[in-house]
Amino acid sequence: MRRLGRVVPKAVIEEKLYGIDDELESNAIPVHVHHLRRGLADAGGTVQIHTVRGVGYLLTELKA
Amino acid sequence: MIRGWLQSLQVRLALRVAALYIAATVVVIVVLMSRAYDTARSLGDQELLLRANDLARYVTAGENGLPRLELPPNLGAMYQVPSGSDIFAIRDANGRVIAAAPPRFAEFVAGWPGATFEPARFSVRLDTEPGDFDGLSISRETVTGLVSVSVGRSSAGAAALYALMRKFIHDTIWAVSILVLAALAVGILGIRSGLKPVRSISEMAAAIGPHAMSVRLPDKGLPSEISPLVTAVNRALDRVEQGFTIQRQFTANAAHELRTPLAIITAALEETEGDDDFVELKADVARMNRLVEQLLRVARLDAIVLDVTGVADLNEAAGSVVATMAPWALARDRTIAFKGFRDPVVVKGNRHAIGDAIRNLVENAVLHSPAWSEVLVRTGPDGRVSVADRGPGIVAADQERMFDRFWRGKGVQFEGAGLGLAIVKEIMNAHGGRVSVENRSSDGAIFTLHFTTVDREDENSSGSRHKSACGNTAPPR
């Protein structure tokens, strides 16, 4: 929630999740985000994760 | 064409000098000619007078008391020989011909009145001799009293003399025309070399523009006729620059002063909930913010010379613009996507200004796109950044003017200052690059920025400079 309303670059997420040296599967993050979105929707969350293609992800509050 | 020619200082001076030379030559030739003719005639007259005196001296009284001519043998040979070129006749006071050669001349002279002490000219044509004879008659005292002596000379001799003079004039004209041409050449070359600095300062003056206001024309080595003009132009430039600076300063100050109250209003509005009117008010304020921001950017571009000596990675610049603007676009139900080239695209330029240019294009693209469409930002290996939208595209007629300041397209629904593309163009000019625009094959337009890439070796050697340039080039607000 710290990053609400700002784009979080993919590289930052990768670094946070895996550490800089680890090998990573290319679709690991999209898959993870997909799970996260479903979880948020199921739980009736007030935030939404948008994909900014080519850059990263953006967490916004749902519009009323 | 001819008018234009006559405006030239060189041509005008050359024409005048030529006219002067030709006039002077004509006057000199006429004077010389008349002097020469006079001299020739007076010389001829003198000779004739001497001859008349000679003849008069040898008139003696004959046995019958009548005067007669007794020439010494050498002179006699000269006068008696029918040479055809000289004639003479001597008459006594009663008009009787004492002696004459050729005899035919005696018949002419018999009818003439007696001569006086003033020489009287005559001109006769003798049917026995070829050509005309010119001469003079004069009265002379002899031992037998007064006699009239008429001596003449074939005009063929004079004709030869005149032919000689004509040849002389001919030669003179040739010599003078060569002299005139040489003088013209010297004059033209002189003017040309004198005006050379004028040409070079003309080129300098042509380069003076809004971005090169501080250039002044050098007044060293100029012809003294032209240096006052250069001084005056420089003074005028001083005044213009002063006015220009004031104008720029005013724009910058105005934009800057507007920021603070706007920020206060914006902050107050953000914290207040309200109805639809309120939402509209917020949108208006957002527009105001954008306009002031653009004005500031324009003022900054005018006021400071952009430092484009650094290098920047287009992937990094464009990516960060997309990241910064994605929330703003999303709030307007549009998305922005970024497709960077797989390797860094390193170009020469100012990282901050490049970001500004890309941001303006993205802003425009989002504002012109229909809802739920995507604006795509791409970078290419040849120093290209393109921004593609799904808007109405560009009308061909607008393609030139759309980069002018305060230009706004027809039928544009949203409010804008018309500064965005002008800013983009100025940034690209400062980078020695360009901005191009084309319509997509389907809906929308693509704006492309073309930068100069940096070679791989350059990039490695200036890698550290790149980082520091990024940190330092953001101008203070």
Side-chain angles (χ1 to χ4, degrees):
Chain A
M1 290 297 280
R2 260 189 308 148
R3 303 268 187 166
L4 183 69
R6 277 161 64 190
V7 174
V8 183
K10 230 169 4 189
V12 172
I13 300 174
E14 284 164 4
E15 202 180 316
K16 290 267 184 214
L17 287 181
Y18 303 100
I20 202 144
D21 295 327
D22 289 350
E23 284 285 312
L24 56 101
E25 291 174 52
S26 61
N27 63 343
I29 294 173
V31 169
H32 194 70
V33 168
H34 179 71
H35 288 310
L36 213 55
R37 273 185 186 139
R38 213 164 48 191
L40 278 169
D42 290 349
T46 59
V47 292
Q48 199 179 358
I49 300 173
H50 297 274
T51 311
V52 180
R53 272 210 304 137
V55 179
Y57 296 92
L58 171 63
L59 192 67
T60 61
E61 277 183 285
L62 272 179
K63 286 185 183 174
Chain B
M1 182 67 190
I2 288 174
R3 260 190 103 77
W5 263 49
L6 287 179
Q7 293 283 61
S8 158
L9 214 59
Q10 291 175 33
V11 173
R12 269 196 275 179
L13 202 69
L15 285 178
R16 269 164 218 194
V17 168
L20 182 72
Y21 263 97
I22 289 165
T25 309
V26 168
V27 168
V28 164
I29 285 176
V30 166
V31 168
L32 271 180
M33 286 273 287
S34 70
R35 297 281 303 188
Y37 273 86
D38 275 0
T39 309
R41 196 151 59 183
S42 78
L43 274 177
D45 285 359
Q46 299 240 329
E47 195 207 332
L48 287 175
L49 278 175
L50 281 175
R51 237 189 265 178
N53 289 346
D54 253 359
L55 290 168
R57 205 179 325 144
Y58 294 107
V59 174
T60 52
E63 293 121 23
N64 50 4
L66 290 173
R68 58 179 298 246
L69 183 66
E70 286 206 26
L71 287 174
N74 56 337
L75 272 181
M78 213 159 87
Y79 283 109
Q80 292 301 332
V81 168
S83 63
S85 67
D86 294 310
I87 56 173
F88 79 93
I90 304 169
R91 290 169 292 153
D92 64 12
N94 302 323
R96 191 186 66 90
V97 176
I98 302 168
R104 179 88 178 108
F105 186 43
E107 292 165 32
F108 273 89
V109 177
W112 292 358
T116 60
F117 283 102
E118 274 298 300
R121 289 175 193 290
F122 66 84
S123 182
V124 290
R125 172 172 289 248
L126 301 177
D127 36 21
T128 55
E129 309 289 331
D132 291 347
F133 291 86
D134 295 319
L136 51 84
S137 304
I138 193 162
S139 181
R140 277 285 173 260
E141 191 80 48
T142 66
V143 285
T144 61
L146 286 175
V147 293
S148 293
V149 185
S150 299
V151 281
R153 201 171 29 194
S154 165
S155 56
L161 183 70
Y162 294 146
L164 206 68
M165 273 163 76
R166 268 199 295 280
K167 184 156 166 37
F168 164 74
I169 290 164
H170 228 80
D171 292 349
T172 311
I173 285 174
W174 268 109
V176 167
S177 19
I178 289 169
L179 210 68
V180 166
L181 286 179
L184 282 184
V186 166
I188 286 174
L189 286 179
I191 295 171
R192 248 174 207 241
S193 68
L195 290 183
K196 203 173 253 172
V198 175
R199 261 199 296 279
S200 71
I201 61 171
S202 301
E203 279 160 23
M204 290 188 74
I208 295 176
H211 290 281
M213 280 304 292
S214 55
V215 176
R216 291 294 177 273
L217 308 175
D219 53 2
K220 286 205 175 75
L222 277 184
S224 58
E225 290 85 348
I226 290 166
S227 59
L229 175 67
V230 169
T231 312
V233 166
N234 279 342
R235 290 219 183 102
L237 280 175
D238 284 342
R239 291 192 291 274
V240 170
E241 190 187 13
Q242 209 177 0
F244 211 70
T245 312
I246 291 170
Q247 194 71 45
R248 281 171 169 174
Q249 205 56 52
F250 173 76
T251 316
N253 288 348
H256 195 81
E257 291 301 312
L258 281 171
R259 270 160 60 97
T260 315
L262 257 179
I264 293 168
I265 295 171
T266 313
L269 284 177
E270 289 299 332
E271 287 167 11
T272 322
E273 295 291 324
D275 53 8
D276 285 353
D277 285 351
F278 212 77
V279 173
E280 226 169 272
L281 195 62
K282 275 187 184 173
D284 285 341
V285 170
R287 270 202 296 273
M288 279 286 281
N289 269 315
R290 182 162 173 262
L291 173 55
V292 168
E293 202 60 45
Q294 283 189 325
L295 270 178
L296 252 183
R297 237 175 278 162
V298 168
R300 260 207 310 265
L301 278 179
D302 281 345
I304 51 171
V305 179
L306 213 52
D307 176 23
V308 294
T309 53
V311 290
D313 176 13
L314 286 184
N315 279 348
E316 189 272 322
S320 88
V321 168
V322 171
T324 317
M325 298 192 69
W328 172 78
L330 211 59
R332 280 158 185 77
D333 300 330
R334 276 93 173 158
T335 57
I336 313 175
F338 175 59
K339 200 168 175 190
F341 187 66
R342 59 174 194 279
D343 298 322
V345 183
V346 182
V347 297
K348 286 177 193 165
N350 181 314
R351 160 73 182 79
H352 183 81
I354 291 173
D356 260 355
I358 300 172
R359 184 163 64 246
N360 272 294
L361 289 185
V362 171
E363 221 166 58
N364 271 353
V366 168
L367 290 172
H368 283 91
S369 291
W372 309 115
S373 69
E374 185 187 67
V375 169
L376 179 60
V377 181
R378 304 176 71 144
T379 56
D382 47 351
R384 249 180 327 130
V385 190
S386 66
V387 178
D389 63 49
R390 290 280 170 200
I394 304 299
V395 183
D398 292 343
Q399 284 203 6
E400 276 302 309
R401 285 186 307 140
M402 64 194 298
F403 294 101
D404 293 347
R405 279 184 188 182
F406 299 110
W407 183 88
R408 297 187 58 237
K410 275 186 191 145
V412 176
Q413 282 106 28
F414 61 91
E415 294 286 327
L419 285 173
L421 288 179
I423 292 172
V424 172
K425 192 186 178 188
E426 272 172 43
I427 291 172
M428 293 317 289
N429 284 348
H431 281 84
R434 64 191 178 88
V435 50
S436 65
V437 57
E438 58 187 321
N439 285 321
R440 298 173 86 156
S441 48
S442 52
D443 279 349
I446 306 179
F447 284 82
T448 309
L449 305 179
H450 305 261
F451 292 95
T452 315
T453 51
V454 176
D455 294 337
R456 281 276 149 194
E457 306 90 75
D458 283 9
E459 186 201 327
N460 292 338
S461 64
S462 59
S464 56
R465 192 153 57 91
H466 172 203
K467 271 219 163 66
S468 66
C470 281
N472 290 340
T473 45
R477 298 226 159 172

